[in-house]
Amino acid sequence: MLTVDDVLEQVGEFGWFQKQAFLILCLFSAAFAPIYVGIVFLAFTPDHRCRSPGVAELSRRCGWSLAEELNYTVPGPGPQGQCLRYAVDWNQSALGCLDPLAGLAANGSPLPLGPCDQGWVYDTPGSSIVTEFNLVCDDSWKVDLFQSCVNLGFFLGSLGVGYIADRFGRKVCLFTSTLISAVVGVLTAVAPDYTSLLLFRLLQGLVSKGNWTAGYTLITEFVGLGYRRTVAILFQLAFTVGLVLLSGLAYVLPHWRWLQLAVSLPVFLLVFCYWFVPESPRWLLSQKRNTQAIKIMDHIAQKNGKLPPADLKMLSLEEDVAEKLSPSFVDLFRTPNLRKYTFILMYLWFTSSVVYQGLIMHVGATGGNLYLDFLYSALVEFPASFIILVTIDRFGRRYPLAMSNLAAGLACFIMVFIPHEHKLQEAETFSALLTAELLGQRRHSVKQRAAKTWRDCAGHGQTGPQGHWVCSPRSLPLARGRKPVLLEQPARGDKDLSWLNIAVACVGRMGITIVFQMVCLVNAELFPTFIRNLGMMVCSSLCDLGGVLTPFLVFRLMEVWQGSPLILFAALGLVAGGMTLLLPETKGITLPETIEDAENLQRKAKPKENKIYLQVQTSELNAQAPERDASQGTSWQK
């Protein structure tokens, strides 16, 4: 009986209709990028310090530079300087311009510190939810909650929206979720407070991932077997294009509300594509709506300039499917092989999310330009897609997926042993040169004075957060009468291997990007049509769970030891590589239509060919039966 793949072979597996549908659906994929990683620009945390009334006026009166103002008025580096301030009335007239705090500390005792009850000053020309709602210091955890809400929405939506797509259709799910996502995106841009911001973020997460997944499933069901993997990879590549465009848009619009509007308003235009994208004929057949499926296949033939098959009305899902197939969560675990596929894919999705986001957080936490760093990390995904396109036809799905997991895990393991670059942040040190200039010394004497300072503080310092020996030389000879900031001296013998660390991290990022793209393809190829979208949504929900946990895993483990997250990433990647080998190879195999097809994936191709051959031989035998005797016929059938 005629199947969808049989018809596509005659009317075009990737003709004009499929190309038009593919380009339209790629817009949905690109629009998902700001929702998934927009937190980078919407909630960036700039350098900040406590707002102290009177400091700005005193700085203008004395003509201080920013460095001098920070040196005189900020208690110290890191959390101390960002979350505490001197309990001093800066409006009092007794304060001078040359070390105004010198006469306030009795007998050299430290000045009392207080909380930032007057707010903060942020060193940024733009704005983010951090700067608008003061999500720093004791409230910094609210930034993590903001990101966790969208991932929680992804997780919950993976179950509900996936069922809707399999129960009511891919097209209905795609455009309904798109409209809701656009509306909620605009509401997020005008949210009056933090609580409503969380609510809108959660709602957007509930529908937006279902939007992307429905589009992915739809395009893979429109094309023939020969083009399925190509459109699947390029559909995900459109997401990378969205990342690149987001970095440029964020650079032009540094204020978070305008940026949120800029990425939300164009999504309304995608709703008008409803009349250009039909429902999946495969899904219609699984719901026994054969008449509609036949009309769509006839429309595809006309668009591609081909004549439909003469027996198009015989289009069916399978010969032995006699009743309508309804998706059920239990179907994912009903049979042994489907149960194995489901659990393995869940783990692969979880690992992909943790390692992918974790590498970004671990490597990108330090230094550099926010926009360029984001752009570079996005560009790495282009060669990953190229590698997939080159290797997937030659080596199949299973082995490249396993090797990519192993490469990502091995890269994380190697990074554990690479010394991290000791970068001195401007907020942590103005160097001995600034101290010397404040004391009116000559530049040529800086090194000798600084060397003596380090000898004096050798027994009074401690190890800093970047592995440096840190001391505050307030009581040292160099600093008498002045308040220099903390000074740091890099550990001796350490070489700058940051280039090697970045290179290995890029290998890991490329490997896990390949995994992310290929696991989508394999997920769609392992489940039968009537639960394909549900299977993808349920398995990928573990990706969202990983997204919720990753920030806490990375930053809490880094408090114990900086290399701890990398060891976790390495273990996850190496185990994922081994588990991938337990999956069947899906290269060249027709998409399974029923649970029985999915169960027999590993032995489907050759047996099906043999079955067809035997049917042909049997037909020939029946045609020649009158010319043969009964004994010969009996012998053949045996």
Side-chain angles (χ1 to χ4, degrees), residues 85-364:
R85 67 181 185 87
Y86 287 118
V88 172
D89 180 10
W90 293 97
N91 290 310
Q92 57 183 303
S93 58
L95 297 178
C97 294
L98 187 61
D99 194 6
L101 301 179
L104 299 181
N107 300 324
S109 60
L111 291 171
L113 302 177
C116 300
D117 49 10
Q118 300 296 321
W120 286 263
V121 176
Y122 299 95
D123 296 330
T124 176
S127 66
S128 69
I129 64 170
V130 173
T131 63
E132 182 165 336
F133 300 110
N134 290 324
L135 306 183
V136 292
C137 299
D138 292 340
D139 288 334
S140 60
W141 61 273
K142 293 183 178 180
V143 178
D144 300 331
L145 182 61
F146 176 76
Q147 180 64 9
S148 295
C149 277
V150 71
N151 281 286
L152 179 61
F154 291 159
F155 178 75
L156 298 176
S158 296
L159 306 178
V161 179
Y163 176 81
I164 292 173
D166 282 329
R167 180 66 180 83
F168 301 102
R170 282 72 158 119
K171 181 177 179 178
V172 172
C173 176
L174 176 66
F175 288 97
T176 302
S177 59
T178 297
L179 179 60
I180 297 174
S181 180
V183 172
V184 176
V186 173
L187 292 176
T188 301
V190 297
D193 51 49
Y194 176 76
T195 303
S196 59
L197 196 65
L198 290 183
L199 176 61
F200 295 144
R201 190 70 170 165
L202 176 63
L203 291 175
Q204 193 169 40
L206 282 171
V207 298
S208 57
K209 187 183 177 184
N211 174 339
W212 186 90
T213 309
Y216 181 90
T217 304
L218 197 58
I219 191 57
T220 56
E221 293 182 347
F222 274 148
V223 301
L225 175 64
Y227 291 89
R228 191 173 68 226
R229 57 91 179 173
T230 303
V231 298
I233 295 169
L234 294 180
F235 182 80
Q236 296 176 81
L237 193 63
F239 175 85
T240 305
V241 174
L243 296 179
V244 174
L245 295 177
L246 176 62
S247 61
L249 192 60
Y251 179 79
V252 175
L253 299 172
H255 298 279
W256 78 273
R257 290 188 183 272
W258 288 109
L259 177 61
Q260 180 64 28
L261 278 176
V263 299
S264 300
L265 290 177
V267 179
F268 284 101
L269 299 177
L270 297 180
V271 178
F272 294 100
C273 296
Y274 180 87
W275 291 272
F276 300 97
V277 179
E279 183 55 85
S280 167
R282 297 178 190 271
W283 177 83
L284 290 171
L285 289 174
S286 72
Q287 302 301 303
K288 305 305 295 179
R289 294 160 63 175
N290 293 27
T291 302
Q292 292 176 261
I294 292 172
K295 289 182 179 179
I296 291 176
M297 295 306 296
D298 183 68
H299 172 72
I300 293 176
Q302 293 179 17
K303 279 284 187 178
N304 290 346
K306 301 289 183 68
L307 292 175
D311 55 348
L312 181 60
K313 292 184 179 180
M314 302 299 294
L315 183 66
S316 178
L317 192 65
E318 280 285 344
E319 291 185 37
D320 56 350
V321 176
E323 60 180 12
K324 176 180 175 180
L325 301 175
S326 299
S328 171
F329 180 80
V330 179
D331 290 329
L332 299 176
F333 306 91
R334 189 181 302 278
T335 57
N337 281 340
L338 271 181
R339 187 161 52 246
K340 180 178 70 173
Y341 303 159
T342 301
F343 283 126
I344 292 177
L345 289 169
M346 282 180 170
Y347 180 79
L348 293 180
W349 277 107
F350 178 82
T351 300
S352 300
S353 176
V354 173
V355 178
Y356 181 87
Q357 297 186 48
L359 276 176
I360 295 175
M361 293 179 184
H362 192 274
V363 177

Side-chain angles (χ1 to χ4, degrees), residues 571-632:
L572 290 173
L574 295 175
V575 172
M579 294 183 67
T580 302
L581 297 177
L582 300 177
L583 294 175
E585 178 56 64
T586 56
K587 173 188 173 184
I589 295 180
T590 304
L591 286 175
E593 305 287 2
T594 64
I595 290 181
E596 183 181 359
D597 291 340
E599 280 293 296
N600 298 326
L601 275 177
Q602 289 178 318
R603 55 183 184 275
K604 183 175 183 180
K606 290 186 178 180
K608 185 172 183 180
E609 293 173 0
N610 293 338
K611 179 180 179 182
I612 295 173
Y613 177 78
L614 289 174
Q615 289 175 344
V616 172
Q617 297 299 322
T618 303
S619 300
E620 294 177 355
L621 175 65
N622 293 334
Q624 300 173 9
E627 302 176 5
R628 298 176 182 269
D629 55 52
S631 60
Q632 287 177 325

Side-chain angles (χ1 to χ4, degrees), residues 513-589:
T513 299
I514 293 174
V515 173
F516 238 136
Q517 296 191 11
M518 290 195 65
V519 75
C520 291
L521 177 62
V522 173
N523 204 145
E525 292 178 335
L526 288 177
F527 289 103
T529 298
F530 77 105
I531 58 169
R532 183 169 297 126
N533 206 83
L534 178 63
M536 177 168 285
M537 296 300 286
V538 170
C539 293
S540 65
S541 66
L542 270 293
C543 168
D544 310 320
L545 181 60
V548 173
L549 297 177
T550 300
F552 301 99
L553 290 175
V554 172
F555 297 117
R556 297 292 79 80
L557 288 176
M558 286 184 68
E559 291 181 355
V560 178
W561 179 47
Q562 197 170 19
S564 299
L566 296 174
I567 294 179
L568 175 63
F569 302 157
L572 290 173
L574 295 175
V575 172
M579 294 183 67
T580 302
L581 297 177
L582 300 177
L583 294 175
E585 178 56 64
T586 56
K587 173 188 173 184
I589 295 180

